[in-house]
Amino acid sequence: MPPVKNGPVGLGIIGGSGAFGRFIASALPLVPDVTLRGIAGTNEQRTRQAAQALEIPFWTINYRELIDHAAIDVVVVASPPHLHAEMALAALQANKAAFVEKPLATSLPAGLAVLQEARRREVPATIDYVMRYSPLYQAAKKIVQSQALGALRRMEFRNDAGDEGLASDHWFWDRAKSGGIFIEHGVHFFDVYGWLAGADPLQVHGLTVERDPAGQQDVVHADVRYANGILGIFTHAFDKPSMLESQEGLLVFDRGSVRIAGWTPVRLEVTGLVGDAERDQLASIAGLELETVEAFAPGRTMRGRGRHFPVRHHLRGTLAPTQDSQELYRRAVGAALADLIATVRDPGHRQQVTLADGLTSLAVACVAAGTADANDLGRAVAAAGV
Ligand SMILES: NC(=O)c1ccc[n+]([C@@H]2O[C@H](COP(=O)([O-])OP(=O)(O)OC[C@H]3O[C@@H](n4cnc5c(N)ncnc54)[C@H](O)[C@@H]3O)[C@@H](O)[C@H]2O)c1
């Protein structure tokens, strides 16, 4: 694909009338030099109405027509997960850049095919791992890298999501369409926490809970061990009224912890036992407000992991850029799109997130789902005909 040097970059959204397609469209005013040129859907009336609401002239129920639209340079794939790989491949084969909603695919071979096609054709592409562009996770990454709290040892993530908007016939519950919760949703967090860990995942083990004998899986859990010994513990439930939705991520370091919380997260809290240099490192993180819980005299040491370390401050800090979680999320989606569009304009641009990240997190999700299926005693007993 030749870089787009002049004029706005043209964008088309497959799934532009869907819940997240509309959210992506709402982020476009935050992205410089991009114009929405068309959307594709499945239902004529809904797609036309969505196009009217977005004030765009072109809509279609044949997504290939959107891909072939001469003024569309970037194709956003915001359809249900089982269609992502097929649609992303079609866009790449037409030499159009692809912004693929998570997950990259519902199987590893399909995800790999998308990655290989993008590389072979040198067409810009990415996956919408929006969390990586959140100032909360970016601050957490800086804290990890600074070693101000010592080494990161453990990461615990809990996601209690609502199911009020998910009728029992929604594609979300159909593993053939969504891939299941590990793949549809878990990939986001396998990605962002893997990035925080800064090492490859080495071991994965999954567990699942089914709501009823019909097999509606609404709670999933995975443990992940990374190459540097960090443990990741992930739990996702989709069974709450919307008002009780909450997320909480905890990073446990040698000399402190970081908590990221809210729905979707709006607040990072840090606490730790540090020296002067570490306090200065934390203080340099934009927007992180620090307060001293207790100050210690020079020469004071404490002990952890069998080693003494000097401590001058017990600190507490907060980063809360806004209470408007939708706005924070919208800005992050805008930043993710802007990152891809920077590559569309300049192939030398280095993206923060790549399709390879989409594939690594998909691999973790697939192994989590596979081990959960394999260690299910009920299935094993049924399969043995007992
Ligand atoms: N990055 C995020 O934070 C985030 C958040 C929510 C959803 N998502 C992802 O966005 C995707 C869409 O989710 P949603 O909740 O908007 O679903 P949805 O059911 O509301 O919308 C799906 C859209 O895809 C369209 N579609 C389906 N089949 C199609 C086809 N063959 N051709 C053209 N269009 C087709 C539908 O018409 C609809 O507009 C999913 O992959 C989901 O995982 C991502």
Side-chain angles (χ1 to χ4, degrees), residues 212 293 305 359:
D212 53 32
V293 180
R305 262 181 99 80
L359 197 67

Side-chain angles (χ1 to χ4, degrees), residues 1 89 92-95 116-124:
M1 172 184 184
L89 270 180
L92 296 168
Q93 282 160 359
N95 286 317
Q116 286 175 335
E117 192 68 21
R119 284 191 177 159
R120 196 169 67 79
R121 290 180 177 269
E122 297 184 357
V123 175

Side-chain angles (χ1 to χ4, degrees), residues 142-155:
K142 284 188 186 136
I143 295 171
V144 175
Q145 284 175 326
S146 72
Q147 299 258 316
L149 303 177
L152 175 61
R153 302 285 173 190
R154 203 171 73 246
M155 310 181 295

Side-chain angles (χ1 to χ4, degrees), residues 201-226:
L202 282 193
Q203 273 183 308
V204 182
H205 183 84
L207 293 171
T208 50
V209 181
E210 291 172 354
R211 175 178 297 191
D212 53 32
Q216 187 173 353
Q217 218 172 64
D218 62 0
V219 180
V220 304
H221 173 91
D223 297 329
V224 182
R225 181 175 69 87
Y226 296 87

Side-chain angles (χ1 to χ4, degrees), residues 14-21 40-43 47 61 63 78-81 83-84 87 101-103 128 130 170-171 184 188 329:
I14 304 177
S17 61
F20 209 66
T42 40
N43 176 292
T47 311
I61 53 166
Y63 76 85
S79 52
L83 299 170
H84 291 183
M87 291 172 168
E101 255 320 317
K102 52 84 190 166
D128 186 13
V130 49
H170 193 284
W171 57 257
E184 201 280 340
H188 254 321
Y329 214 71

